[in-house]
Every structure is written in C-alpha cells, then in structure tokens.
Amino acid sequence: MMKYVWTLILSITFAIPATQAQTPAHDLEHIYTPTADAKADIAAAIKQAAQENKHVLLQIGGNWCIWCKRLYKFVEDDAALKSAMDNNYVVYHLNYSKENKNLPTLKELGYPQRFGFPVLVVLDAKGNRLHTQNSGLLESADSYDKKKVQEFLKQWSPAALLPSNYTNE
C-alpha cells in the first residue's frame, strides 16, 4: 500500500512542473479579439495616448496569423523593445479574420491590409494616421530583426516628431 502512495506522490510531484512548463508565457492564441468593437477600442486608445503623451500603435492581424504571433512574442520577450513600445505607444491589436474583418475601420485607415499581416499603423494622439508599416520589411529569416523593429519604434515615437528637434537653434 505504501508503495502505491509513494508512486502517486512522485507522479503528482513530477506531473505538476511538467504541466506548468507547457503553459506558454504569452497567450499567443488570443492576441486579437474578433468580437471587439474596434472603433470604440481605437477611440479609447487615442484618448489614453493623449493623456500619456504617446502615439497609438495598431498591430493589425489575427490569431490565425503566425507572423502576427511572432511579432507579438518578439517584442514581449525583448526588454528593450518592450520598454520602447510601452514608453511611446498605446498598443491595440486590431482583428482581421473571417469572423470580423473590420473593413470599415480599415477603410478609414487607408486600407493597410494591402501590405499583408501583421501590418502596423501609427496614429498620433488626435487619431491622425502618421504611418503604415509593412512588417515584412522588419523581418529577418524566420523572425524579426531587432535593430529594424527598434528603429521603427524610435522613428515614429512622439519625440521623433517634435518640431523642436529640427530647428537650428
């Protein structure tokens, strides 16, 4: 009987860490929300960006998109990129899927889906579109290039667009 109790205890002891190890650090299956009200969510992101002196970064794609998941994880797992993003942008993951393509919103954004997915759109704190980025230009082999992503985040940050940075005083 004791042999069975110890076997059970050891089985549980080894099963718990194995289960925890299989849990992903990021929920890559639910980055995008097909049922979200994109128009309302973007308006809230713009309001937040205005309060925090940031820009809005829309990452447009879907939970079906492997490159969307790679970009999300690439930034989340890199402290410098994550910091640059968090310090300069309010990020919103705008869904594009068979359940909800958000076509009226994409029309207002100038049809960014023409670049494939994910596609990045930068809005200022008033909701004006500043830039649409084909994320394929940020790739390197089967991932993303840190220097390219970092440069993109820097070049479209609020500080980069301050007129005072471009005067001869």
Side-chain angles (χ1 to χ4, degrees):
M1 177 72 166
M2 270 317 251
K3 181 179 179 183
Y4 293 112
V5 172
W6 280 110
T7 303
L8 180 62
I9 291 172
L10 288 173
S11 296
I12 292 171
T13 303
F14 288 111
I16 291 172
T19 303
Q20 291 172 346
Q22 292 172 359
T23 304
H26 312 292
D27 184 5
L28 297 177
E29 299 305 316
H30 299 96
I31 299 168
Y32 298 89
T33 307
T35 58
D37 181 344
K39 195 166 187 100
D41 290 347
I42 292 170
I46 292 167
K47 183 177 179 181
Q48 181 183 344
Q51 293 169 344
E52 298 176 6
N53 297 314
K54 295 180 179 182
H55 285 162
V56 174
L57 179 64
L58 304 176
Q59 181 180 321
I60 304 166
N63 295 320
W64 53 267
C65 171
I66 188 66
W67 281 98
C68 300
K69 293 175 184 182
R70 285 179 185 166
L71 180 59
Y72 176 83
K73 187 170 179 352
F74 187 79
V75 173
E76 289 291 316
D77 288 348
D78 186 289
L81 293 177
K82 179 78 170 127
S83 176
M85 188 175 282
D86 290 345
N87 291 335
N88 294 292
Y89 301 93
V90 174
V91 180
Y92 179 67
H93 293 89
L94 176 58
N95 183 75
Y96 181 94
S97 67
K98 63 182 178 180
E99 297 87 8
N100 184 0
K101 293 183 179 181
N102 281 305
L103 294 177
T105 302
L106 295 177
K107 179 181 179 183
E108 290 177 18
L109 295 170
Y111 307 102
Q113 68 269 37
R114 70 187 182 273
F115 294 110
F117 300 101
V119 60
L120 306 171
V121 175
V122 180
L123 308 175
D124 68 12
K126 294 179 183 176
N128 299 311
R129 182 171 55 93
L130 300 175
H131 181 67
T132 300
Q133 178 66 49
N134 177 343
S135 68
L137 300 175
L138 305 176
E139 295 174 8
S140 178
D142 62 350
S143 186
Y144 288 91
D145 184 293
K146 180 177 178 173
K147 287 182 182 179
K148 290 178 184 178
V149 173
Q150 203 162 30
E151 193 64 22
F152 163 77
L153 294 172
K154 179 182 172 188
Q155 288 180 357
W156 292 102
S157 69
L161 300 178
L162 289 175
S164 59
N165 288 334
Y166 303 98
T167 60
N168 291 330
E169 297 176 13

